[in-house]
Amino acid sequence: MAAPRAVLLLSGKRKSGKDFVAEQLRSRLGPAVCCVLRLSAPLKERYAEEHGLDFQRLLDASAYKETYRQDMIRWGEEKRRADPGFFCRTVVEGVEQPVWVVSDTRRLSDVEWFRDVYGDAVQTVRVVASEETRKRRNWVFVAGVDDAESECGLDQGVAFDWGPCLPPGARGCCCSVTLSCGSGTVSCVPCPLRAQRRFPVCLSCPGWGRCLHWNKALTLRNTRGCVSFPGGGGWKFRSLGSGLCPCPGADPPAGGWQWREVRFNSLCPPGGPPAGCLVVCFNRLPAANSPRIICFRSRRLLP
Ligand SMILES: Nc1ncnc2c1ncn2[C@@H]1O[C@H](COP(=O)(O)OP(=O)(O)OP(=O)(O)O)[C@@H](O)[C@H]1O
Ligand SMILES: C[C@@](O)(CCOP(=O)(O)O)CC(=O)O
């Protein structure tokens, strides 16, 4: 088996479109170049065998699959406890194409396995759809599934290489922002990424966050005039109040945060954004006066 040139690990909530995106990639690149790997395929196959079910029906986006999801999760987690790399090893067996798209990465242990084995070839991709869209695709919240590791295992802890909020043509990020509060403490923004509920994201922790309520939580001053929103009239950055972040010393300083430097780049600098930067990626402009969606990717704590 040849080593892959690229391994794209797709993750995202149920009905966000992971399989759809994976198929798009495969059809654009062609089956000789790209193959779609599903960690859940060997899981579903064995589960179907053991439980006398229809394996093919567990593979598609059907109600049939959803009936068994919770029990498949339980069953798969038992297997993973015994051998965390079991499903990963099984899906890569005999694959010859140079580009692999793993369409259902759900757990940190899966990301770690691929990174350990394939190193820099691995790229993490977050697929995101709004709750409304997912509902239109027949998603309904199920306790024990949507609030469990299977759905939330990668909400934190991975700084995704690719996200949903890049403007057309941008790679990596569309602007980078350096934050300083003068005292070196960290700030947090409330973030509804997880099931649209507000939860704290610490800017010192790597990972993607998304702030839908920018007026309440995060506003920016567009110092260079490179990015503007219709009807916005400039951006401000406000104090967020306290009690949002679990990290010690995380409260914003008196008077709120200030910008030390704001850089807007159309492309990420080679090697990624400078250390200590908060990388902010802006979604396509929404209609005037609708809530702005600001996605950000944080790096490390600023000095
Ligand atoms: N961008 C899109 N445009 C149109 N339809 C889409 C798009 N993305 C997904 N869909 C449709 O939404 C449904 C759910 O998508 P998909 O199965 O890819 O989601 P998923 O994230 O893989 O879900 P699951 O976690 O349940 O496997 C499918 O019927 C798919 O065709
Ligand atoms: C049981 C499970 O593999 C089902 C995944 O199905 P799908 O990717 O939504 O088609 C989910 C999990 O492993 O947690």
Side-chain angles (χ1 to χ4, degrees):
M1 181 177 71
R5 295 279 300 279
V7 181
L8 305 184
L9 302 183
L10 269 51
S11 71
K13 301 293 181 183
R14 290 199 291 143
K15 311 301 172 207
S16 59
K18 301 180 294 295
D19 282 319
F20 184 89
V21 170
E23 283 307 327
Q24 292 280 318
L25 287 167
R26 196 174 73 106
S27 72
R28 292 221 188 160
L29 295 171
V33 172
C34 174
C35 76
V36 175
L37 307 178
R38 292 187 173 85
L39 296 175
S40 59
L43 188 159
K44 289 173 182 173
E45 190 172 15
R46 281 166 192 238
Y47 179 85
E49 269 166 27
E50 274 192 24
H51 295 80
L53 299 172
D54 184 338
F55 169 52
Q56 288 307 322
R57 292 185 70 196
L58 290 179
L59 287 179
D60 59 32
S62 63
Y64 185 79
K65 168 173 83 176
E66 298 307 327
T67 312
Y68 297 102
R69 183 181 289 272
Q70 203 154 354
D71 197 52
M72 284 196 289
I73 292 174
R74 180 201 56 74
W75 186 88
E77 282 175 357
E78 248 170 50
K79 299 277 171 220
R80 279 183 162 97
R81 263 194 294 280
D83 177 0
F86 177 76
F87 297 118
C88 300
R89 273 201 314 278
T90 309
V91 289
V92 304
E93 267 167 25
V95 181
E96 294 298 339
Q97 290 95 328
V99 178
W100 303 357
V101 179
V102 180
S103 73
D104 57 354
T105 319
R106 296 173 178 278
R107 293 170 175 82
L108 280 172
S109 61
D110 298 331
V111 176
E112 280 159 8
W113 187 88
F114 278 98
R115 282 192 173 144
D116 283 351
V117 179
Y118 301 107
D120 288 346
V122 173
Q123 297 270 308
T124 49
V125 183
R126 190 68 170 175
V127 180
V128 173
S130 68
E131 275 199 10
E132 293 73 50
T133 301
R134 294 169 61 215
K135 280 178 186 157
R136 277 203 303 277
R137 296 173 184 164
N138 299 325
W139 171 74
V140 276
F141 183 91
V142 176
V145 171
D146 292 290
D147 52 4
E149 189 189 12
S150 170
E151 285 298 298
C152 306
L154 298 179
D155 282 358
Q156 280 153 319
V158 178
F160 292 105
D161 297 304
W162 299 91
C165 53
L166 305 179
R171 278 181 54 85
C173 65
C174 52
C175 74
S176 61
V177 180
T178 306
L179 263 180
S180 167
C181 69
S183 68
T185 53
V186 294
S187 180
C188 304
V189 294
C191 176
L193 186 66
R194 185 185 291 166
Q196 306 292 324
R197 265 180 263 120
R198 286 189 155 225
F199 76 106
V201 171
C202 175
L203 298 186
S204 70
C205 309
W208 282 93
R210 168 181 281 207
C211 168
L212 289 178
H213 306 283
W214 76 299
N215 279 324
K216 291 182 198 151
L218 176 69
T219 46
L220 306 171
R221 185 176 298 283
N222 179 351
T223 56
R224 303 258 170 110
C226 301
V227 179
S228 61
F229 291 122
W235 307 348
K236 294 173 209 142
F237 193 68
R238 274 197 239 138
S239 167
L240 302 171
S242 56
L244 291 168
C245 181
C247 301
D251 292 348
W257 292 88
Q258 292 166 359
W259 297 108
R260 185 170 60 188
E261 189 186 348
V262 182
R263 284 192 298 269
F264 295 95
N265 307 317
S266 57
L267 296 176
C268 248
C277 278
L278 166 70
V279 178
V280 183
C281 292
F282 298 93
N283 211 342
R284 289 177 203 199
L285 294 183
N289 301 326
S290 66
R292 273 66 168 174
I293 298 176
I294 298 177
C295 293
F296 59 84
R297 177 176 170 178
S298 55
R299 286 285 162 131
R300 66 174 180 77
L301 177 61
L302 286 161

